[in-house]
Amino acid sequence: LFLLLLPLLLVPLALLAKSRRGRRTPPLSLLVVAGSGGHTTEILRLLSCLSESYSPRHYIFADSDKMSEAKIRSFEQKRAETFPNSKFTLHRIPRSREVRQSWTSSVVTTLYSLLYSLPLTNKLKPDLILCNGPGTCVPVCVSALLLGLLGIKRSIIVYVESICRVETLSLSGKILYYFSDYFIVQWPDLKKKYPKSVYLGRIV
């Protein structure tokens, strides 16, 4: 009797699986915070693993960053060969903190960067924010948090700590550890020190 009923049970399951495969994930507006040098290289490696559902992609980087724009354009040009309908935008904001900049002046420049980030983030209204440590991500994420508190737009913040951070977090990481929705680390020692983090091994 079981053998006779088995085909009848499998048919609806097969139809359900087929209908699920046919569904297309709704597009997600993605805001990516790029940083000079290795930060941009790592974030683009992460983006190469994402499907076409993450569109449009809005890139934000510091106005003094001369390398990120070229890297992003090259990445998107190659991506368009696979996903011809791929869309992206580029945006610059004042750098929040330069290398070896004093803490006192960093507060001023970060607030200045925040003034630029808030209207830009409000205009883009991303569903998801992805960042991996450049100082530029702090005012952008704070802007997104403010928009969420005001009930304008709730954005999910995903922070991926750089692969070069083995035992200690970056300054951006120490700040956004408390505010990000998902905080991902790539070394087990960081997971031990920061329980909220998610350890996924090396992902870039």
Side-chain angles (χ1 to χ4, degrees):
L1 180 61
F2 175 77
L3 292 175
L4 291 174
L5 293 176
L6 183 59
L8 297 177
L9 295 173
L10 292 178
V11 168
L13 290 175
L15 291 174
L16 179 61
K18 184 178 180 180
S19 65
R20 286 181 175 177
R21 286 195 299 269
R23 293 175 187 170
R24 187 174 181 178
T25 304
L28 289 173
S29 174
L30 176 64
L31 192 158
V32 181
V33 184
S36 56
H39 286 296
T40 297
T41 300
E42 287 188 13
I43 207 75
L44 292 179
R45 286 176 182 169
L46 287 174
L47 292 177
S48 65
C49 302
L50 298 183
S51 70
E52 60 180 325
S53 297
Y54 294 87
S55 179
R57 288 170 302 286
H58 306 290
Y59 295 91
I60 294 181
F61 47 93
D63 53 7
S64 59
D65 183 355
K66 306 302 180 183
M67 295 187 296
S68 290
E69 181 174 355
K71 289 183 178 180
I72 293 168
R73 288 189 181 279
S74 177
F75 168 80
E76 287 292 341
Q77 185 177 4
K78 292 179 181 177
R79 186 180 177 86
E81 296 174 1
T82 305
F83 305 114
N85 296 323
S86 185
K87 298 179 181 179
F88 72 99
T89 62
L90 300 174
H91 308 274
R92 292 181 179 272
I93 62 172
R95 187 183 289 273
S96 60
R97 184 174 186 270
E98 297 285 354
V99 178
R100 299 186 184 87
Q101 184 179 345
S102 68
W103 293 105
T104 305
S105 61
S106 293
V107 173
V108 177
T109 53
T110 299
L111 289 174
Y112 182 58
S113 182
L114 179 62
L115 290 176
Y116 275 78
S117 301
L118 190 56
L120 178 58
T121 308
N122 181 47
K123 176 184 176 182
L124 299 176
K125 290 184 173 61
D127 299 307
L128 176 67
I129 297 176
L130 179 64
C131 51
N132 69 333
T136 308
C137 71
V138 174
V140 173
C141 290
V142 170
S143 298
L145 289 169
L146 290 174
L147 292 177
L149 291 173
L150 293 172
I152 298 174
K153 173 65 179 182
R154 169 76 168 88
S155 300
I156 296 174
I157 299 175
V158 178
Y159 184 96
V160 181
E161 187 59 282
S162 173
I163 186 68
C164 66
R165 289 290 174 172
V166 180
E167 297 180 349
T168 60
L169 296 178
S170 62
L171 177 58
S172 300
K174 290 176 181 177
I175 296 172
L176 295 178
Y177 174 76
Y178 299 98
F179 304 107
S180 58
D181 296 282
Y182 300 95
F183 192 94
I184 300 171
V185 296
Q186 303 185 62
W187 294 95
D189 286 347
L190 288 178
K191 171 61 180 175
K192 294 175 184 177
K193 293 180 181 178
Y194 300 93
K196 175 196 168 183
S197 64
V198 179
Y199 170 61
L200 297 178
R202 181 169 180 174
I203 60 176
V204 296

